[in-house]
Amino acid sequence: MSQRTPALRTRLLAALGLALGLAVAAPASPALAHDELLASDPAADSTVTALPDELTLTFSGVLIDEDGVNAISVTDAAGTELAEGAPALDGTTATQALSGDSQGPITVRWRVVSSDGHPVSGEFSFTAGDPAAAPTSSVDGEAETTTEEGLPAVFWIVVSIVVVAGVIALVIALVAASRRRTED
Ligand SMILES: [Cu+2]
């Protein structure tokens, strides 16, 4: 027994180390496979003569198409929502109908579910028409936007903690079980 225990403990420690390594690495590696926004029409930071009837976003992969999971918000300088209805998905392209004829800086905030199942989001802006004709800014809409950006990171941290806790519980159970067996 005194000879077997150190070997068993070493093996269990190695298993624990491997499991922890996998648990930490797992959420990080699929992040590399997230779909990215490749292009948009209007393009980011471009200037167009007038607000178009629709906006298209082209991604690097086919987005998950389920009701309500993909959202595109398009607002003018006053914070008025210009997006009309939900975006239409076609393969790697999302098309968002726009309404109104707002001029000046237009902000696009998108949040979609990547083909690997993870939510991805981003923001860019373009200029429509005459910037001097932009509606006057109301400060309201600004504060809310930053909170949503942080959500996926927090989500994966929580998932990692749960996974690590689960692995530790499993290892403790295995150690207890093997102890019971060696005592017999
Ligand atoms: Cu991912």
Side-chain angles (χ1 to χ4, degrees), residues 30-31 34 116 118:
H34 276 164
D116 68 355
H118 297 160

Side-chain angles (χ1 to χ4, degrees), residues 39-64:
S40 65
D41 183 16
D45 303 321
S46 68
T47 299
V48 292
T49 52
L51 187 77
D53 292 337
E54 58 181 36
L55 165 87
T56 59
L57 303 182
T58 304
F59 292 89
S60 58
V62 177
L63 304 177
I64 305 284

Side-chain angles (χ1 to χ4, degrees), residues 35-39 57-63 92-94 110 112 120:
D35 297 334
E36 303 168 57
L37 179 66
L38 294 182
L57 303 182
T58 304
F59 292 89
S60 58
V62 177
L63 304 177
T92 59
T93 303
W110 54 270
V112 298
V120 283

Side-chain angles (χ1 to χ4, degrees), residues 41-43 46-55 74 82 98-106 126-131 133:
D41 183 16
S46 68
T47 299
V48 292
T49 52
L51 187 77
D53 292 337
E54 58 181 36
L55 165 87
V74 182
L82 308 172
L98 303 177
S99 63
D101 52 4
S102 291
Q103 298 193 68
I106 306 293
F126 63 90
T127 305
D130 180 9

